[in-house]
Amino acid sequence: MHVIDSHTGGEPTRVILDGGPDLGTGSLAERARRLATDHEEFYLSVMREPRGQPAMVGALLVEPVDPTCVAGVIYFDMGAVLGMCGHGTIGLTVTLAHLGRISPGVHRIETPVGVVEVELSDANTVTVKNVESRRVHSKVAVDVPGHGVIEGDVAYGGNWFFIVDPSPLPVNTGNIRALTDLAISVREAAIAQGAGGENGEPIDHVIFQGEAPQRDVHSRNFVLCPDDTYDRSPCGTGSSARLACLAADNRLAPGEEIVQHSVIGSPYRLSYQTGPNGGVIPSITGQAFVTAQSTILFDGNDPFKNGIAH
Ligand code: PYC
């Protein structure tokens, strides 16, 4: 299996060029469902240690249905198959350029939740125009065992987010363990108490919005991903959901640009345009760098062939 690894603001992406399972035909949403139900062993073996690493997102290249797209992609981490991934799309675009498959300019990429547009400005800088994002519930109270009631907005940005603003804890690297534990409890409470999307979609990510020390930075976020790691980048789908909340609260005008930092200080430039269905079309600009080009091997005698479960 040939892969190319990159990171976007510190968050790793592994693009799988070949050697993945046969997912058959149909829409990318159908093929993503098949990956989730029939091929868990495959994606865990590529994401888990010793081949993968915590926080890594896999990007399985598949044939797009839409012929105007340069690629189809299904994202996953070691916790779940994802609808979309913003940092992964920036990493994938830089990887396609590294391979000589695309040049600077605008391209379309098909994902299970729809087609996204990417603009490659230079070898490392990409703007993603994400799928329409929306807030579906505001100020939802969840009772978090051991903590008490926490209020948050439920919003969609290609994945489902519970966004807590302001964060119950300061968002800084010294608090990563405590933020992670609290975010897991919030996600579990939200799921148990039915706080999800309009059709009952479960929350898969939690965001705590904190203050940034820099005057020119709008805020700093902590994002918990399905695999219980935190996003080293400001999370593209999470930033999209957050833009939908800012727009719904009239806290950011269409076209106005802000800088969002992750908990480790990596930046995205964010803005939005009003979407056709009452939501927002987010623009996310970030940078990715290729870190490795490898062949992954699976030895039938290896007791950890399918990765370490812990
Ligand atoms: O950037 O959208 C994102 C993302 C999702 C999970 C990890 N990163």
Side-chain angles (χ1 to χ4, degrees):
M1 178 184 299
H2 294 102
V3 303
I4 297 190
D5 292 349
S6 61
H7 77 86
T8 307
E11 181 77 352
T13 304
R14 171 164 286 171
V15 177
I16 298 159
L17 301 174
D18 54 42
D22 179 5
L23 299 175
T25 54
S27 70
L28 262 67
E30 287 166 43
R31 283 183 263 169
R33 267 193 295 280
R34 258 173 242 142
L35 178 64
T37 54
D38 303 343
H39 300 284
E40 192 185 34
E41 202 170 84
F42 153 75
Y43 71 81
L44 292 182
S45 69
V46 187
M47 290 295 97
R48 281 178 170 168
E49 295 173 288
R51 292 176 196 78
Q53 62 179 98
M56 180 173 258
V57 165
L60 177 65
L61 285 183
V62 296
E63 199 55 43
V65 177
D66 180 337
T68 66
C69 292
V70 291
V73 62
I74 300 173
Y75 295 110
F76 48 87
D77 67 12
M78 61 175 104
V81 173
L82 304 169
M84 220 312 261
C85 179
H87 94 266
T89 302
I90 294 172
L92 169 60
T93 305
V94 164
T95 296
L96 292 174
H98 171 81
L99 289 168
R101 295 189 188 177
I102 60 170
S103 310
V106 176
H107 307 278
R108 285 159 62 81
I109 293 176
E110 191 168 340
T111 79
V113 297
V115 171
V116 301
E117 202 177 270
V118 294
E119 180 166 9
L120 178 70
S121 311
D122 59 42
N124 303 104
T125 309
V126 178
T127 298
V128 180
K129 233 182 230 167
N130 195 8
V131 293
E132 186 163 354
S133 302
R134 62 193 190 280
R135 180 170 74 182
V136 297
H137 302 297
S138 85
K139 294 192 176 18
V140 177
V142 294
D143 195 358
V144 182
H147 186 90
V149 172
I150 289 186
E151 274 190 356
D153 288 359
V154 175
Y156 176 78
N159 297 302
W160 285 97
F161 290 83
F162 191 83
I163 303 179
V164 183
D165 180 12
S167 171
L169 295 170
V171 176
N172 59 48
T173 51
N175 272 343
I176 284 175
R177 187 68 259 160
L179 288 159
T180 303
D181 291 344
L182 183 57
I184 291 171
S185 300
V186 170
R187 185 190 61 211
E188 285 171 0
I191 291 171
Q193 293 162 38
E198 60 267 82
N199 298 311
E201 297 91 342
I203 296 297
D204 39 47
H205 295 66
V206 172
I207 300 183
F208 294 142
Q209 284 294 149
E211 283 179 10
Q214 303 89 337
R215 286 167 60 93
D216 53 346
V217 176
H218 183 269
S219 48
R220 192 196 258 175
N221 69 14
F222 172 89
V223 184
L224 178 79
C225 297
D227 62 0
D228 290 349
T229 63
Y230 71 93
D231 198 327
R232 280 69 170 155
S233 81
C235 190
T237 52
S239 294
S240 300
R242 164 79 167 151
L243 283 168
C245 296
L246 292 174
D249 287 334
N250 292 317
R251 289 168 67 192
L252 191 71
E256 200 180 328
E257 188 173 272
I258 56 172
V259 176
Q260 169 75 61
H261 274 193
S262 70
V263 64
I264 64 162
S266 46
Y268 279 166
R269 288 191 286 117
L270 306 176
S271 63
Y272 73 90
Q273 293 299 334
T274 304
N277 302 304
V280 301
I281 304 294
S283 284
I284 306 135
T285 303
Q287 287 200 312
F289 297 86
V290 170
T291 54
Q293 193 158 347
S294 346
T295 305
I296 294 197
L297 305 176
F298 298 91
D299 182 333
N301 294 320
D302 180 353
F304 293 115
K305 178 170 165 277
N306 296 328
I308 302 167
H310 52 70

